[in-house]
């Protein structure tokens, strides 16, 4: 019997094989894949081409302008497109022509009200004393006169007086339900030790927004280029209520701001007062301001940090110094008064008597129902800005008197600039924003130590004061152990230093890997995740180990 051939009638068919993809669909898929690959390649080519073009433009600009010229160009080219737009060129135009376009701040967009109250604010300014700068000791050797030109030329306030509407001070009003002495942020700080700091390579402040406007306008009375937000944390402005009546508030505030004293083609020069503080008495609807004062505290021997660049990039060398400014103050000349006076029918009344004298306004006495002392309010604002101040840092000699009374060791920090304001330099900033505000350190300091911090300059003055030998000795024992820039010490109540560590060494070892640290005194502990906190805890405990047996029973 013969085998039937496939395809012949009556022959069984084998299982059908899967038909191949239709040629048209396969071709479409391949074409799409090819297009995607080509597009990706084109994007890479375009990106490389754009990078090459940018590099070529940068190189061409460097050849054409030179390093300093390119620095000036880049400082104006804010979007980095290698073109100067009219908006970017505006600062130079204003500088050359001497004209400034009308401001477009939010408050100025409000329609004027002829019946609103205004007040005159006067600026009082005494320039920084050059002889207080550290670099003055060697006659500013190595410091070019050009670098300090902005500082030397700033001899008077930009605006000796200015008129403000009472409503402009509305940002100083507290949030609803705010309690006496409870701080709130007028301008919140946006920086921390984790976010880093803002660029040094800037000349012109960004346009102020919202609540920044009134502070910018006030600070502009001193100098035309105030930066409401500082380059370093803590930024902003914080306030608290110090008195409350039926119709009025007294608000105390603290502001951290700085000024740029240079303009192109000079390199940036930053002028950073330790702080601005002050108070305002205003009605609860901000239609009347009874009193206003803003000032840089001048009770310490140094109160301003200065930093200036010596080059045409962010990584250029920077010089740092500190000095003293005797007066930087704004004060209202009197309460706010109506611009015009209206009668009951809304008609304008002549604001002058027949004799020609201005009408005199009589203001009711404010009866305060709740009040808080200036010292306590200042402390609360300080803690809001600097959490490490949850530990009380007493004045130098007072700390040793307290240590004797309580039979405790003294935790002392000796440094070049103030620890609790913006005149502090880099090492101090790092300490206060990290270990000094950590919970374990705060707890141990509060329980076992009396704390203090001091300026080197102030201890040098104390050491040279012949009137009090015991204070002389305390200062001398500290200065013997001091090394630039910051020295942390553990002392007996008689001033003997039992343990100390320099901030630079401390920061170096906390940035090393645990296995790289040789000294057993500063080995890392597994108790804390943060090596800085662990190391500072070891430092304090070693101080206790050495010092407690030496305390008088």
């Amino acid at each position: 019997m013969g085998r039937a051939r496939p395809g012949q009638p009556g022959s069984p068919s084998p299982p059908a094989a899967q038909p191949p993809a239709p040629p048209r669909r396969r071709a479409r898929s391949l074409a799409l894949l090819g297009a995607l690959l080509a597009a990706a390649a084109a994007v890479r080519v375009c990106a490389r081409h754009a990078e090459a073009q940018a590099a070529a433009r940068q190189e061409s600009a460097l050849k054409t302008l030179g390093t300093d010229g390119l620095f000036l160009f880049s400082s104006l080219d804010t979007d980095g497109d290698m073109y100067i737009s009219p908006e970017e060129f505006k600062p130079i135009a204003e500088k050359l022509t001497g004209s400034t376009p009308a401001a477009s701040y939010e408050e100025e967009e409000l329609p004027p009200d002829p019946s609103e109250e205004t007040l005159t604010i006067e600026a009082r300014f005494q320039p920084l004393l050059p002889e207080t700068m550290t670099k003055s000791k060697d006659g500013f050797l190595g410091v070019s006169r050009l670098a300090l030109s902005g500082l030397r030329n700033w001899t008077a306030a930009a605006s000796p007086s200015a008129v403000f509407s009472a409503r402009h001070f509305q940002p100083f009003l507290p949030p609803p339900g705010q309690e006496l002495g409870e701080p709130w942020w007028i301008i919140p700080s946006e920086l921390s030790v984790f976010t880093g700091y803002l660029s040094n390579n800037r000349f012109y402040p960004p346009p102020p927004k919202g609540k920044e406007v009134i502070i910018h306008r006030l600070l502009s009375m001193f100098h035309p280029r105030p930066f409401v937000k500082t380059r370093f944390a803590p930024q902003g402005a914080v306030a608290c209520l110090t008195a409350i009546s039926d119709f009025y508030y007294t608000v105390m505030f603290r502001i951290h701001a700085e000024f740029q004293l240079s303009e192109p083609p000079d390199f940036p020069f930053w002028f950073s007062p330790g702080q601005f503080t002050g108070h305002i008495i205003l009605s609860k609807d901000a239609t009347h301001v009874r009193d206003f004062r803003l000032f840089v505290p001048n009770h310490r021997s140094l109160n301003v940090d200065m930093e200036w660049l010596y080059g045409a990039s962010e990584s250029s060398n920077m010089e740092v110094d500190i000095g003293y400014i005797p007066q930087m103050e704004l004060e209202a000349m009197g309460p706010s008064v109506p611009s015009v006076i209206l009668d009951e029918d809304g008609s304008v009344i002549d604001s002058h008597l027949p004799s020609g004298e201005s009408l005199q306004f009589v203001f009711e006495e404010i009866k305060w129902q709740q009040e808080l002392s200036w010292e306590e309010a200042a402390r609360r604002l300080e803690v809001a800005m600097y959490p490490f101040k949850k530990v009380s840092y007493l004045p130098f000699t007072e700390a040793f008197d307290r240590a004797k009374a309580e039979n405790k060791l003294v935790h002392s920090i000796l440094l070049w600039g103030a620890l609790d304001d913006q005149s502090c330099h880099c090492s101090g900033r790092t300490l206060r924003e990290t270990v000094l505000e950590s919970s374990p350190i705060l707890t141990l300091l509060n329980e076992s130590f009396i704390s203090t911090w001091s300026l080197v300059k102030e201890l040098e003055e104390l050491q040279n004061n012949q009137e009090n030998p015991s204070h002389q000795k305390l200062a001398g024992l500290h200065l013997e152990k001091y090394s630039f820039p910051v020295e942390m010490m553990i002392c007996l109540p008689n001033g003997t230093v039992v343990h100390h560590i320099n901030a630079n060494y401390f920061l170096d070892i906390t940035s090393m890997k645990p296995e790289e640290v040789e000294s057993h005194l500063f080995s890392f502990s597994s108790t804390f995740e943060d090596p800085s906190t662990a190391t500072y805890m070891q430092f304090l405990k070693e101080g206790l180990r050495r010092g407690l047996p030496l305390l008088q029973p």
Side-chain angles (χ1 to χ4, degrees):
M1 185 173 175
R3 181 179 297 172
R5 294 180 180 175
Q8 287 184 340
S11 63
S13 299
Q18 288 293 328
R24 188 174 299 172
R25 185 183 302 169
R26 184 189 306 164
R28 190 182 302 120
S29 299
L30 290 174
L32 180 59
L33 178 60
L36 290 173
L37 293 173
V43 168
R44 287 196 297 271
V45 170
C46 289
R48 291 196 201 100
H49 182 64
E51 290 175 2
Q53 281 187 324
R57 286 198 298 267
Q58 191 87 1
E59 184 177 353
S60 174
L62 182 60
K63 290 179 179 178
T64 303
L65 302 174
T67 302
D68 292 346
L70 181 59
F71 171 74
L72 169 59
F73 183 91
S74 300
S75 69
L76 297 173
D77 182 25
T78 55
D79 58 7
D81 64 354
M82 296 301 291
Y83 294 96
I84 302 296
S85 67
E87 185 66 25
E88 291 169 332
F89 186 74
K90 186 170 70 171
I92 295 296
E94 293 173 4
K95 176 71 174 176
L96 295 176
T97 62
S99 62
T100 304
S104 58
Y105 301 153
E106 292 181 15
E107 275 76 357
E108 298 192 4
E109 296 176 359
L110 296 173
D113 182 355
S115 64
E116 71 181 357
E117 295 190 4
T118 61
L119 68 157
T120 299
I121 291 181
E122 183 178 88
R124 304 187 185 103
F125 180 84
Q126 296 180 44
L128 182 129
L129 303 178
E131 63 270 21
T132 62
M133 296 174 65
T134 305
K135 290 178 173 54
S136 70
K137 294 179 180 179
D138 56 12
F140 294 97
L141 183 65
V143 180
S144 73
R145 189 168 183 84
L146 186 62
L148 301 180
S149 60
L151 178 66
R152 296 184 191 278
N153 294 335
W154 189 19
T155 58
S159 300
S161 66
V163 176
F164 291 80
S165 297
R167 64 187 169 98
H168 288 160
F169 293 87
Q170 188 172 356
F172 288 95
L173 286 176
Q178 197 74 14
E179 298 291 334
L180 187 79
E182 180 185 348
W184 77 90
W185 290 91
I186 300 174
I187 302 174
S189 179
E190 297 175 351
L191 297 179
S192 70
V193 69
F194 304 107
T195 59
Y197 57 88
L198 300 180
S199 171
N200 295 308
N201 184 14
R202 293 178 294 160
F203 291 101
Y204 303 103
K209 300 177 182 178
K211 295 180 178 181
E212 299 172 11
V213 173
I214 180 59
I215 293 175
H216 182 274
R217 292 183 63 189
L218 289 165
L219 297 181
S220 294
M221 293 182 66
F222 295 121
H223 192 278
R225 291 183 297 281
F227 281 71
V228 174
K229 291 184 177 177
T230 54
R231 292 162 298 145
F232 300 98
Q235 300 172 304
V238 66
C240 73
L241 287 169
T242 61
I244 302 173
S245 78
D246 287 336
F247 303 105
Y248 289 92
Y249 292 124
T250 297
V251 177
M252 183 179 176
F253 54 83
R254 176 170 177 156
I255 299 168
H256 287 179
E258 56 189 348
F259 300 85
Q260 177 52 245
L261 304 192
S262 293
E263 286 189 280
D266 296 338
F267 299 132
F269 187 107
W270 293 93
F271 185 93
S272 308
Q275 61 167 296
F276 291 92
T277 189
H279 74 275
I280 182 171
I281 301 175
L282 75 170
S283 62
K284 291 184 176 181
D285 59 2
T287 58
H288 177 69
V289 174
R290 182 61 62 89
D291 190 29
F292 176 83
R293 184 178 179 231
L294 173 151
F295 63 97
V296 174
N298 59 4
H299 61 285
R300 285 196 172 273
S301 58
L302 299 168
N303 59 359
V304 177
D305 177 70
M306 289 159 283
E307 300 176 357
W308 60 95
L309 289 176
Y310 268 130
S313 70
E314 187 70 28
S315 60
S316 298
N317 290 335
M318 174 177 277
E319 289 277 5
V320 180
D321 209 335
I322 194 168
Y324 177 77
I325 187 165
Q327 187 177 38
M328 199 170 183
E329 180 179 2
L330 301 177
E331 188 170 15
M333 293 296 91
S336 63
V337 295
S339 304
V340 297
I341 305 172
L342 306 178
D343 62 16
E344 294 179 356
D345 299 326
S347 301
V348 177
I349 300 175
D350 192 347
S351 60
H352 292 81
L353 298 171
S355 63
E357 297 179 9
S358 298
L359 287 174
Q360 298 297 312
F361 292 88
V362 178
F363 300 96
E364 78 278 13
E365 180 184 353
I366 302 174
K367 296 181 179 180
W368 300 109
Q369 298 163 342
Q370 301 180 60
E371 292 185 79
L372 184 71
S373 71
W374 173 275
E375 292 77 15
E376 177 59 20
R379 188 193 68 80
R380 296 189 186 192
L381 296 183
E382 196 170 63
V383 171
M385 283 285 192
Y386 301 112
F388 85 91
K389 293 303 292 282
K390 292 175 183 176
V391 168
S392 295
Y393 283 76
L394 301 178
F396 182 73
T397 57
E398 184 181 332
F400 285 92
D401 290 341
R402 178 79 63 84
K404 289 178 184 177
E406 299 185 13
N407 201 31
K408 285 186 174 181
L409 297 175
V410 176
H411 164 245
S412 179
I413 300 176
L414 182 57
L415 68 170
W416 189 36
L419 190 62
D420 56 10
D421 67 31
Q422 295 302 83
S423 67
C424 187
H425 47 80
C426 183
S427 299
R429 291 180 192 137
T430 304
L431 283 173
R432 73 189 181 200
E433 293 171 14
T434 54
V435 294
L436 292 181
E437 68 173 43
S438 68
S439 294
I441 301 301
L442 290 172
T443 300
L444 185 57
L445 289 177
N446 274 321
E447 290 177 352
S448 303
F449 295 91
I450 303 298
S451 291
T452 183
W453 69 262
S454 310
L455 294 176
V456 172
K457 181 178 176 63
E458 292 178 348
L459 291 200
E460 288 174 342
E461 293 172 353
L462 196 62
Q463 187 182 32
N464 294 328
N465 186 351
Q466 306 293 329
E467 296 179 2
N468 195 319
S470 63
H471 290 175
Q472 261 189 313
K473 179 184 177 183
L474 287 174
L477 291 170
H478 260 58
L479 292 170
E480 283 177 7
K481 301 296 184 182
Y482 174 76
S483 294
F484 179 85
V486 183
E487 196 78 25
M488 295 86 82
M489 310 181 202
I490 306 300
C491 312
L492 299 177
N494 65 7
T496 302
V497 178
V498 297
H499 193 32
H500 65 102
I501 182 174
N502 184 264
N504 284 350
Y505 177 64
F506 172 79
L507 295 175
D508 285 344
I509 63 173
T510 55
S511 64
M512 296 167 62
K513 296 178 181 178
E515 60 269 20
E516 297 174 342
V517 181
E518 296 180 3
S519 173
H520 71 282
L521 296 180
F522 300 106
S523 60
F524 294 105
S525 167
S526 60
T527 307
F528 306 104
E529 295 181 3
D530 174 29
S532 298
T533 299
T535 305
Y536 208 80
M537 181 66 74
Q538 290 271 22
F539 163 69
L540 295 176
K541 288 184 175 180
E542 178 63 20
L544 289 171
R545 187 188 70 79
R546 297 184 185 188
L548 286 179
L550 302 177
L551 288 176
Q552 297 296 324

